[in-house]
């Protein structure tokens, strides 16, 4: 059974940084692509970033490009999202997800397994 557990969320002031982690278990971590998504109150879940199985390929939403960095450590079965220069509009529940492919795009339907989410709140 695949399990994804996010951590690292919290309350920060605008301009500060946070690093989210996603710990995976239940299958061979390094075979599959992963992604981060977020959902703000009253809005649909949106793509944030994706990374390929061995980390050579990444993709970002335009809204976070240049501020967020996705990475993974396959030895630790963990994916990360370094978030810098946070803004109030980044406030959301952040979810990690994994697919059954080496790399998946921004489509939520491409991902098979999801974590429970971690809250990120950015105050102005």
């Amino acid at each position: 059974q695949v399990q994804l557990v996010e951590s690292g969320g919290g309350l920060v002031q605008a301009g500060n940084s946070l690093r989210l982690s996603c710990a995976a278990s239940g299958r061979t971590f390094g075979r599959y692509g992963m992604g981060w998504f977020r959902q703000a109150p009253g809005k649909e879940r949106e793509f944030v970033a994706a990374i390929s199985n061995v980390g050579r390929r990444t993709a970002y939403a335009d809204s976070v490009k240049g501020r967020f960095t996705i990475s993974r450590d396959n030895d630790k079965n963990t994916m990360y999202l370094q978030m810098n220069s946070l803004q109030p509009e980044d406030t959301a529940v952040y979810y990690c997800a994994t697919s059954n492919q080496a790399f998946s795009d921004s489509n939520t339907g491409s991902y098979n397994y999801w974590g429970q989410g971690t809250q990120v709140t950015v105050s102005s």
Side-chain angles (χ1 to χ4, degrees):
Q1 181 178 1
V2 177
Q3 287 191 323
L4 302 174
V5 180
E6 302 96 335
S7 62
L11 171 64
V12 296
Q13 289 189 328
N16 284 351
S17 301
L18 277 176
R19 188 176 82 154
L20 304 183
S21 299
C22 174
S25 62
R27 64 176 183 176
T28 305
F29 182 75
R31 286 187 180 176
Y32 304 105
M34 300 193 70
W36 286 99
F37 292 76
R38 66 187 182 186
Q39 187 166 18
K43 295 187 177 181
E44 292 189 354
R45 191 169 298 188
E46 66 174 5
F47 170 74
V48 175
I51 189 166
S52 63
N53 56 345
V54 295
R56 292 196 183 106
R57 182 179 177 185
T58 59
Y60 295 91
D62 288 342
S63 59
V64 306
K65 204 171 292 185
R67 299 188 299 125
F68 290 11
T69 302
I70 189 171
S71 63
R72 65 191 294 163
D73 185 338
N74 286 351
D75 290 335
K76 296 182 179 179
N77 290 357
T78 303
M79 175 179 67
Y80 305 97
L81 185 68
Q82 178 66 42
M83 305 186 293
N84 298 331
S85 302
L86 283 162
Q87 299 300 316
E89 52 265 35
D90 295 315
T91 295
V93 177
Y94 282 70
Y95 298 91
C96 69
T98 186
S99 72
N100 287 334
Q101 302 175 353
F103 179 79
S104 290
D105 58 15
S106 59
N107 187 353
T108 56
S110 299
Y111 294 82
N112 306 91
Y113 304 98
W114 295 81
Q116 81 291 347
T118 185
Q119 176 70 47
V120 172
T121 303
V122 185
S123 64
S124 57

